[in-house]
Amino acid sequence: MDAKLIRALQAKPKSIKLYPPTEKPKKGYVIRFYYGYDKETKKVFKTDVYLDFDYFFSPANEYQRHQNKESDKQTQQILEALNTANREGKYPIAKTNPLSVSESNYIDWLFKTTQENKKYSDNTKKSYRATVNHIKKFAGNRVPFEAIDKSFVARFYDYLKHESVNSKGISTSANSAIKYHKQFYHHLAKASALFNFELPLNIKYAQDKTDSKPKEYLTVDELQQLISTPEPDFTLRMGFLFGCFTSIGFNELILAKYNDIEQDNKGKHYIKIQRGKTTYYNKVPLSKSALDVVEQMRSVNGKSHSQTIFKGLKSSGYTNQKLLAWVNRAGITKHITPHCCRNTFSGIHYDRYKDVGALMKILDHKDISTTQRYLAKFLRNIDVDVDRLPEFDLGF
């Protein structure tokens, strides 16, 4: 990173903004560091650093248009790196020499950067560890930054698509290949801005991206059929059904506690859940069937408010096998996994209300397109009320 940028960053600005090139007056990209304002003298304390990137105000050909796009992208990456460092209180030291041999290893840097990021959830860190392992299998344990050129970027993507496998020897799906490659390139761009080396061009994913696999879920009749089928593991049975009644993901179910359940002044019950993917809390409304499950778990596991509702519930391959065996005994031929409880709620809710917007709020999705991936073929709107969801005979 340019020494001027680092010095301005080390002064701990209150905000950092990027200003695009202007033709009148003619000037290029500017990074502005704002430090404060003196009310008495009305003086603004700021520092402007001009970035040395080409920009064509009236691009005459494809090359000039491409150069403008690249300049826009790289300056945004620099801004992101500066704001990240400022937010986290990490101020790099200006280097007059290139990275040393020990420092110039993208794999080590990527692992440390992602695993020490306190804003990343455990699942996100796990995903980045998988990305690091794929890079190691492709290129070995040491990959110098300068060795990553356009060819490396393209060949690594080909490897992910056609040759890579997970820890169980299963081939990487097309969408997972795109995810891992995006993680690889996104942090390469961050490193490029921090260490001031040229970022190779990325590849295009659009032509390779396949449609998402259909989401398996249980219909109302299938869910009642499953309820009517005995399952010796009471905690697994109740946990999966609770997920089907509430939309709560299996990993969040494992951590749910009795004191996460609240009641409003209208008598409605909610459970406050922290989504693993976002780390934000979401209040999920509870139907009568969901509350019946909670009461059954209280009678079995005790009533300590700080205790997890589904004590002993685990996410594992063994749990997956037991769930699938239960589904098969019920005469259901679908491949149902623990995550399908969330899909089941989504399918039943939409089938009853046709309201994607309300479902998006319950699922705690930030974008309606995310909700649409849970719904294969539908789109309409109706008001929502969990009391109108179907109730189930739990046998007690």
Side-chain angles (χ1 to χ4, degrees), residues 109-283:
W109 179 85
L110 176 62
F111 184 84
K112 182 178 180 181
T113 300
T114 56
Q115 301 308 303
E116 292 181 357
N117 191 326
K118 295 181 179 179
K119 294 185 178 181
Y120 285 165
S121 68
D122 289 341
N123 285 338
T124 299
K125 291 180 180 180
K126 182 179 179 181
S127 179
Y128 273 108
R129 289 197 296 272
T131 299
V132 168
N133 288 334
H134 282 304
I135 299 173
K136 286 182 177 180
K137 290 177 182 178
F138 170 69
N141 292 330
R142 187 172 185 279
V143 179
F145 287 105
E146 61 268 20
I148 305 177
D149 55 12
K150 182 179 180 181
S151 174
F152 185 103
V153 172
R155 287 186 293 109
F156 179 51
Y157 183 49
D158 285 339
Y159 165 80
L160 288 171
K161 284 197 304 179
H162 304 301
E163 300 179 40
S164 63
V165 295
N166 63 15
S167 58
K168 297 180 180 179
I170 301 173
S171 297
T172 304
S173 68
N175 287 339
S176 292
I178 292 173
K179 180 186 74 172
Y180 292 137
H181 198 271
K182 282 185 175 180
Q183 289 179 341
F184 151 77
Y185 191 80
H186 173 69
H187 275 76
L188 182 65
K190 284 188 174 182
S192 170
L194 286 170
F195 304 132
N196 197 27
F197 63 83
E198 185 177 355
L199 179 68
L201 293 177
N202 198 7
I203 59 175
K204 294 182 179 180
Y205 303 113
Q207 68 274 21
D208 299 301
K209 191 168 184 178
T210 57
D211 292 335
S212 298
K213 293 180 180 179
K215 300 290 184 182
E216 292 283 21
Y217 72 97
L218 299 171
T219 64
V220 172
D221 291 341
E222 288 170 336
L223 187 52
Q224 186 61 65
Q225 191 175 336
L226 186 67
I227 292 170
S228 302
T229 303
E231 166 51 47
D233 189 331
F234 187 76
T235 302
L236 171 62
R237 173 185 171 85
M238 291 292 101
F240 182 77
L241 294 179
F242 189 76
C244 292
F245 300 155
T246 61
S247 83
I248 299 172
F250 204 74
N251 288 333
E252 285 82 34
L253 283 175
I254 293 172
L255 302 175
K257 298 180 179 180
Y258 291 115
N259 57 12
D260 292 329
I261 297 176
E262 302 174 351
Q263 185 177 16
D264 63 16
N265 54 13
K266 295 181 180 180
K268 297 283 187 180
H269 287 84
Y270 299 84
I271 185 167
K272 187 170 63 175
I273 290 293
Q274 185 179 26
R275 291 292 325 276
K277 290 185 176 180
T278 63
T279 71
Y280 294 116
Y281 282 94
N282 184 33
K283 289 179 68 174

Side-chain angles (χ1 to χ4, degrees), residues 1 24 51 54 59 113 151 172 210 290 306 392:
M1 186 180 290
K24 294 181 181 180
L51 303 181
D54 291 333
T113 300
S151 174
T172 304
T210 57
S306 60
F392 298 91

Side-chain angles (χ1 to χ4, degrees), residues 2-157:
D2 186 87
K4 292 181 181 178
L5 290 173
I6 293 177
R7 284 195 293 269
L9 180 64
Q10 289 171 334
K12 300 182 180 181
K14 292 185 176 181
S15 66
I16 307 172
K17 293 183 179 180
L18 171 67
Y19 291 88
T22 57
E23 193 167 8
K24 294 181 181 180
K26 195 169 185 177
K27 60 181 180 181
Y29 295 91
V30 179
I31 295 283
R32 175 165 293 174
F33 298 81
Y34 173 75
Y35 302 100
Y37 173 77
D38 190 324
K39 293 182 179 180
E40 295 183 4
T41 62
K42 296 184 179 180
K43 182 178 180 180
V44 177
F45 299 96
K46 61 182 177 63
T47 296
D48 287 349
V49 179
Y50 290 81
L51 303 181
D52 187 20
F53 285 94
D54 291 333
Y55 189 89
F56 300 89
F57 291 101
S58 300
N61 52 48
E62 183 60 29
Y63 167 78
Q64 293 181 353
R65 287 189 289 272
H66 175 75
Q67 182 61 50
N68 284 356
K69 289 181 180 179
E70 283 302 303
S71 295
D72 283 339
K73 182 168 66 174
Q74 291 184 44
T75 53
Q76 287 292 339
Q77 290 165 354
I78 290 174
L79 177 66
E80 181 182 357
L82 289 167
N83 277 316
T84 298
N86 194 44
R87 184 171 55 248
E88 297 178 354
K90 297 178 180 178
Y91 305 104
I93 299 172
K95 293 178 179 285
T96 56
N97 299 314
L99 290 167
S100 68
V101 173
S102 62
E103 292 174 313
S104 183
N105 185 358
Y106 176 66
I107 290 179
D108 288 347
W109 179 85
L110 176 62
F111 184 84
K112 182 178 180 181
T113 300
T114 56
Q115 301 308 303
E116 292 181 357
N117 191 326
K118 295 181 179 179
K119 294 185 178 181
Y120 285 165
S121 68
D122 289 341
N123 285 338
T124 299
K125 291 180 180 180
K126 182 179 179 181
S127 179
Y128 273 108
R129 289 197 296 272
T131 299
V132 168
N133 288 334
H134 282 304
I135 299 173
K136 286 182 177 180
K137 290 177 182 178
F138 170 69
N141 292 330
R142 187 172 185 279
V143 179
F145 287 105
E146 61 268 20
I148 305 177
D149 55 12
K150 182 179 180 181
S151 174
F152 185 103
V153 172
R155 287 186 293 109
F156 179 51
Y157 183 49

